[in-house]
């Protein structure tokens, strides 16, 4: 599709369907082909939430066309009284960062832009007349002004390749890359050239660079990964994904892809960590649900979020409190007003429970670990070996309470729980040491006399079982 | 001859199972594996302890009259003295059963005042006593079907605490909501087991339970007869949604217990209110589940 069509579709997506994501994608594609469309930059502001980036888009539009009234008015509104933009809204997770919008180069002056347009037009005219070499010359003039101009580069490469001047193609592409282009298509062309020339190290280097580009989307990255997998190079495929994930840590698709690769290589536990990261970004998206489903057959992942939570530790302590409260209530004859000193046992149980929980299952609580001088424990990452509790432990950054302290906390906690038990169950303990037979429980002889009088034994049974009286 | 007696007992049990399974699905097991540990130690130990207590303490006294009748039928009793001795032994056994229930079953009213033999400890002893073999069997079956996964979700120690907590809630709920029945001792693990079942429904609402179900088997048989040969596959059990299996039991308990409260019944029998209270007690599961499971639960992820 050409730049104009993409531009029109992008505007339609924003205006008619109110689809920001689709509109942004189409406008970005259009601007890659034709970066000098001031209206496209203006429309792009409507697809971005970050006010800083919106201002940058407006600056680009105004650099191309300083008389664009709409851009001027919008810039006044966005810039605010002191010239700084308003606070950025929350970003949607699981999508590519909006930073992908902006190539990081200063805008061309309008004079240069006009020159480029002129060279492009001349090139098109010469090509139409059959003068391919002349056309290429014009496009090369345009590239001298802007080495990474996509249309000029694409046209020049096409014709040079047809004419057989591959060295020139390579030179133009490398110039564009050296100029800091962020257009993935240029990198892909360079990769293709390097592969054909069997300069595999160069191709790998370019792949590493392209996946880190803010403009690289999930589709491009997975395409590169697939290229490696086709030739059986799983190691490089994983390496590329690792590089990509450094630049795009919130891409659920890439995280799932990495998980799939790790699983295929036999690193199941590492795979689960990636699936878990993808699922934690949200399970409302298709990728999120896919990641969550992939996890459901395997052991769960425990992370620092759970390890360090003081709230979760107290939650378990309140479980102790609940059971002790119920015991005290039972011991008081189901009369809360009669509980008396048993009430003391409930907060003691919560305290004792918290100390015991801290010592056993929550030794890495955020504040305590640091206060008590703990070190960050090393988590073994052994493939194929089963961990004791079947859980995958993601690497931790939280210090754990040292073992001697944990032992003390555990013993003190247990002692408090035992004391709390004697408090809430005081009545039962007294009764246990001195049991009383409930008055309504019949004795054996009572039963026997009932059978003898109501049955047919005529006193014989009572005599047999040595029951006197009646 | 004794072997025939035992065989008769087994046949009796199977017949009861068939009759029971026609009425409602009998849960056999969960359809998915556990995620943390492979051996549900506490569930196994609870079933073991309950069974051993029944076998060594309750069963010998429970079946005393069966032994007496067997002795009479088999001609073992040849004199009057022998008869009275056998009858006396049977009476002693029946009395032992009665006394054990009265002393160690849970009675909430005046626990502290007039005293029960061992006071509030009976709330725990009652959880491990069962009225008869079928009472034990069906309770343990449900515990096996639902308990393993709940134990997996909590970890063994927390699961044990949860089990005891819901058992307590069941007893307390029963005596609070129906005080007229509070002097009648309650025994059985049903309240705790309904709590475990309720926790299972809360944590795994979409799960399926492999069940033995008479009506389901009839329907499956029809399907089996009319299916294409290559599609025929006979299974004795059927996988049903957990909500169907447990929910049907829960609804029945709730209706019966509401009727009991309304009519303030004094008689013994099934303590539906304790079952309902145990179900409500299942809400405490969130105090006992593993940390990472809790965070996954509240972020809408699979457990």
């Amino acid at each position: 599709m050409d730049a104009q069509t993409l531009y029109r579709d992008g505007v339609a997506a924003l205006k008619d369907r109110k689809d920001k994501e689709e509109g942004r994608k189409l406008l970005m594609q259009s601007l890659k082909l034709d970066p000098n469309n001031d209206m496209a930059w203006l429309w792009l502001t409507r697809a971005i939430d970050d006010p800083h980036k919106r201002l940058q888009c407006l600056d680009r539009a105004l650099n191309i066309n300083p008389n664009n009234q709409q851009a001027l008015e919008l810039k006044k509104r966005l810039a605010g009284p002191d010239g700084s933009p308003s606070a950025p809204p929350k970003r949607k997770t699981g999508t590519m960062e909006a930073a992908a919008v902006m190539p990081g180069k200063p805008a061309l002056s309008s004079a240069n832009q006009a020159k480029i347009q002129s060279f492009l037009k001349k090139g098109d005219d010469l090509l139409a007349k059959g003068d391919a070499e002349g056309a290429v010359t014009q496009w090369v003039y345009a590239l001298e002004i802007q080495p990474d101009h996509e249309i000029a580069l694409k046209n020049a490469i096409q014709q040079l390749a047809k004419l057989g001047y591959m060295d020139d193609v390579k030179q133009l592409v490398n110039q564009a890359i050296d100029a800091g282009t962020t257009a993935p298509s240029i990198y892909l062309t360079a990769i293709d050239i390097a592969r054909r020339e069997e300069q595999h190290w160069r191709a790998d280097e370019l792949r590493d660079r392209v996946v880190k580009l803010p403009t690289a989307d999930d589709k491009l990255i997975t395409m590169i990964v697939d290229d490696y997998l086709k030739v059986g190079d799983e190691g490089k495929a994983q390496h590329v994904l690792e590089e990509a994930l450094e630049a795009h840590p919130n891409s659920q698709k890439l995280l799932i892809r990495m998980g799939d690769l790790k699983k295929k290589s036999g690193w199941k536990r590492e795979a689960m960590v990636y699936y878990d990261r993808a699922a934690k970004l949200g399970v409302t998206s298709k990728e999120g649900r896919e990641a969550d489903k992939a996890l459901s057959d395997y052991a769960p992942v425990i992370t620092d979020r759970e390890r360090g939570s003081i709230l979760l530790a107290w939650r378990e302590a309140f479980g102790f409190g609940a059971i002790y409260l119920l015991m005290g209530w039972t011991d008081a004859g189901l009369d809360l007003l009669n509980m008396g000193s048993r009430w003391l046992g409930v907060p003691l149980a919560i305290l004792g429970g918290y100390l015991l929980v801290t010592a056993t299952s929550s030794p890495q609580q955020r504040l305590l670990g640091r206060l008590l001088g703990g070190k960050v424990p090393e988590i073994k990452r052994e493939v194929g070996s089963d961990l004791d509790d079947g859980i995958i432990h993601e690497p931790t950054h939280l210090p754990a309470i040292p073992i001697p302290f944990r032992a003390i906390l555990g013993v003190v906690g247990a002692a408090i729980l035992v004391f709390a038990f004697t408090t809430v169950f005081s009545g039962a303990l007294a009764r246990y040491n001195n049991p009383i037979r409930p008055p309504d429980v019949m004795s054996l002889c009572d039963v026997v006399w009932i059978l003898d009088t109501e049955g047919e034994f005529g006193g014989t049974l009572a005599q047999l079982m040595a029951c006197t009286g009646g | 001859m004794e072997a025939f007696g035992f065989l008769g007992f087994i046949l009796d049990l199977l017949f009861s199972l068939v009759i029971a399974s026609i009425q409602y699905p009998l849960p056999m097991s969960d359809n998915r594996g556990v995620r943390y540990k492979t051996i549900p130690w506490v569930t196994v130990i609870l079933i073991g302890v309950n069974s051993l207590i029944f076998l060594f303490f309750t069963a010998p006294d429970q079946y005393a009259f069966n032994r007496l009748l067997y002795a009479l039928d088999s001609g073992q009793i040849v004199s009057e003295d022998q008869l009275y001795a056998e009858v006396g032994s049977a009476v002693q056994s029946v009395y032992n059963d009665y006394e054990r229930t009265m002393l160690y079953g849970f009675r909430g009213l005046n626990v502290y005042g007039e005293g029960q033999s061992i006071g509030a400890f009976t709330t725990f002893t009652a959880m491990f006593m069962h009225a008869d073999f079928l009472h034990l069997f069906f309770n343990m079956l449900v515990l096996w079907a639902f308990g393993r996964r709940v134990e997996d979700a909590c970890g063994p120690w927390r699961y044990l605490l949860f089990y005891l907590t819901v058992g307590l809630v069941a007893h307390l709920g029963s005596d609070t909501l129906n005080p007229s029945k509070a002097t009648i001792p309650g025994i059985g693990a049903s309240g705790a087991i309904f709590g475990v079942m309720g926790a299972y429904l809360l944590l795994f609402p979409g799960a399926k339970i492999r069940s033995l179900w008479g009506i389901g088997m009839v329907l499956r048989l029809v399907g089996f007869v009319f299916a294409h040969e290559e599609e025929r596959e006979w299974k004795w059990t059927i996988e049903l949604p957990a909500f169907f299996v447990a929910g049907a039991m829960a609804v029945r308990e709730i209706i019966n217990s509401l009727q009991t409260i309304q009519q303030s019944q004094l008689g013994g029998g099934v303590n539906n209110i304790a079952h309902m209270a145990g179900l409500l007690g299942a809400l405490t599961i969130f105090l006992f589940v593993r940390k990472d499971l809790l965070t996954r639960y509240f972020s809408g992820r699979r457990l």
Side-chain angles (χ1 to χ4, degrees), chain A residues 32 47 58 115 119 133 147 252 271 292 309 348 387 399 417 423 429 438:
Chain A
K32 278 180 204 169
L58 285 172
K115 278 186 196 168
F119 288 134
E133 289 202 15
Q252 283 181 310
D292 201 33
S309 173
L348 280 177
L387 297 172
L417 283 171
T423 312
L429 285 166

Side-chain angles (χ1 to χ4, degrees), chain A residues 275-276 279-280 283 289 292-293 295-303 305-307 309 312-313 315-320 322-323 326-327 329-334 338 342 357 361-362 388-391 421 425-429 431-432 434-445 447-448 451 456-457 460-461 464-465, chain B residues 32 34-37 65 80-81 83-89 91-92 94-96 98-99 102-103 106-124 158 160-162 164-166 168-169 171-173 175-176 182-183 284-296 299-303:
Chain A
Y275 288 139
D276 188 67
K280 278 197 171 100
V283 287
R289 286 195 296 276
D292 201 33
K293 189 167 184 286
L295 283 169
S296 64
D297 291 328
Y298 299 93
V301 179
I302 188 159
T303 63
R305 186 172 68 169
E306 287 92 35
R307 289 189 197 105
S309 173
L312 287 173
R315 171 199 63 119
E316 292 182 48
F318 275 100
F320 279 98
I323 192 169
L326 292 170
M327 287 200 300
W329 189 20
T330 309
D331 196 58
L334 302 178
N338 193 28
R342 294 180 186 86
V357 163
S361 60
S362 295
D388 285 342
D389 52 8
I391 303 171
F421 177 78
F425 241 35
S426 52
L429 285 166
R431 193 66 67 230
Y432 185 79
N434 190 20
I436 294 172
R437 189 181 180 81
D440 59 341
V441 178
M442 290 192 287
S443 68
L444 175 63
C445 286
V447 172
V448 167
L451 284 173
E456 298 172 4
F457 298 106
T460 313
L461 194 61
L464 179 72
M465 297 184 82
Chain B
R32 287 181 63 91
V34 293
R35 293 188 68 189
Y36 294 87
K37 277 202 171 295
F65 266 111
E80 209 173 82
D81 286 343
L83 172 66
Y84 283 122
E86 288 289 342
V87 169
S89 172
V91 168
Q92 179 73 60
V94 170
Y95 177 76
N96 290 344
Y98 156 80
E99 189 185 42
M102 293 300 283
L103 293 181
F106 179 72
R107 296 198 289 173
L109 205 61
N110 291 322
V111 163
Y112 189 72
E114 289 181 14
Q116 289 189 31
S117 58
I118 52 171
F121 276 112
T122 54
T123 191
F124 295 115
R158 289 188 208 88
L160 180 61
L161 275 179
F162 169 70
L164 295 174
T165 302
V166 286
L168 271 171
V169 170
H171 287 148
L172 290 170
D175 286 343
T176 308
T183 53
T284 60
I285 188 66
F286 296 110
L287 293 174
F288 297 102
V289 288
R290 296 176 190 261
K291 290 188 272 288
D292 54 290
L293 189 144
L294 191 71
T295 53
R296 282 203 305 284
S299 58
R301 291 176 55 186
R302 291 169 191 240
L303 304 185

Side-chain angles (χ1 to χ4, degrees), chain A residues 173-436:
Chain A
V173 164
N174 287 338
Q175 272 173 9
I177 289 172
D178 291 341
T181 183
T182 56
S185 55
I186 296 174
Y187 281 89
L188 289 175
T189 310
I191 290 167
D192 199 39
I193 294 170
R195 264 207 333 232
R196 275 200 240 136
E197 291 184 352
E198 296 189 6
Q199 290 184 344
H200 301 295
W201 62 270
R202 173 72 177 154
D204 289 347
E205 186 201 357
L206 289 166
R207 285 192 192 99
D208 283 354
R209 283 173 68 174
V210 76
V211 297
K212 284 194 211 170
L213 291 175
T215 45
D217 60 17
D218 292 345
K219 205 172 154 187
L220 168 67
I221 296 167
T222 48
M223 187 182 78
I224 291 173
V225 170
D226 286 339
D227 280 347
Y228 276 127
L229 291 174
K230 270 182 208 155
V231 297
D233 201 336
E234 282 183 13
K236 281 199 183 132
Q238 282 190 26
H239 170 73
V240 155
L241 268 176
E242 276 163 16
E243 296 286 307
L245 280 167
E246 270 180 39
H248 314 291
N250 291 335
S251 168
Q252 283 181 310
K253 259 196 185 122
L254 295 181
L255 287 165
I256 291 170
R257 197 66 213 273
M258 184 61 130
D260 292 342
L261 268 181
K262 290 281 185 185
K263 193 163 121 184
K264 202 176 157 200
S265 308
W267 295 75
K268 281 188 184 168
R269 292 185 188 279
E270 294 212 7
M272 295 311 120
V273 171
Y274 282 101
Y275 288 139
D276 188 67
R277 276 173 62 185
K280 278 197 171 100
L281 289 168
V283 287
T284 50
S285 65
K286 181 177 158 242
E287 290 81 17
R289 286 195 296 276
E290 195 187 314
D292 201 33
K293 189 167 184 286
L295 283 169
S296 64
D297 291 328
Y298 299 93
V301 179
I302 188 159
T303 63
D304 277 353
R305 186 172 68 169
E306 287 92 35
R307 289 189 197 105
S309 173
I310 297 171
L311 201 64
L312 287 173
W314 277 107
R315 171 199 63 119
E316 292 182 48
F318 275 100
F320 279 98
I323 192 169
Y324 274 61
L325 174 63
L326 292 170
M327 287 200 300
W329 189 20
T330 309
D331 196 58
L334 302 178
D335 184 357
L336 284 172
L337 296 175
N338 193 28
M339 275 185 63
S341 60
R342 294 180 186 86
W343 281 113
L344 177 63
V346 178
L348 280 177
I350 294 172
L351 174 64
Y354 175 71
L355 294 177
L356 192 64
V357 163
T358 301
T360 53
S361 60
S362 295
Q364 287 181 272
Q365 288 171 66
R366 287 207 158 78
L367 202 56
L368 277 179
R370 212 173 295 128
L371 273 176
L372 295 173
K375 287 186 187 156
V376 177
E378 196 187 309
I379 305 289
K380 282 187 194 166
R381 305 287 297 279
E382 290 169 24
V383 170
S385 68
D386 285 327
L387 297 172
D388 285 342
D389 52 8
I391 303 171
I392 299 170
H393 294 272
E394 225 187 54
T396 181
H397 306 289
L398 296 173
I401 298 170
I403 291 186
F405 278 121
R406 284 171 64 178
I408 293 168
L409 287 173
V411 167
V412 170
I416 292 174
L417 283 171
V418 168
F419 178 72
F421 177 78
T422 61
T423 312
V424 298
F425 241 35
S426 52
L429 285 166
R431 193 66 67 230
Y432 185 79
N433 291 325
N434 190 20
I436 294 172

Side-chain angles (χ1 to χ4, degrees), chain B residues 36-100:
Chain B
Y36 294 87
K37 277 202 171 295
T38 55
I39 300 173
W41 291 111
V42 174
T43 303
V44 169
I45 287 170
L46 283 171
I47 291 172
V49 166
N50 276 287
S51 303
L52 287 171
I53 288 172
F54 182 82
L55 190 65
F56 287 107
F57 292 97
T58 310
D61 296 327
Q62 277 267 308
Y63 297 103
F65 266 111
N66 290 54
R67 286 200 303 276
L68 173 64
L69 291 171
Y70 172 72
L72 284 167
D73 287 342
S74 64
Q76 286 178 12
I77 297 172
V78 295
S79 68
E80 209 173 82
D81 286 343
Q82 207 179 351
L83 172 66
Y84 283 122
E86 288 289 342
V87 169
S89 172
V91 168
Q92 179 73 60
S93 294
V94 170
Y95 177 76
N96 290 344
D97 195 36
Y98 156 80
E99 189 185 42
R100 193 169 37 246

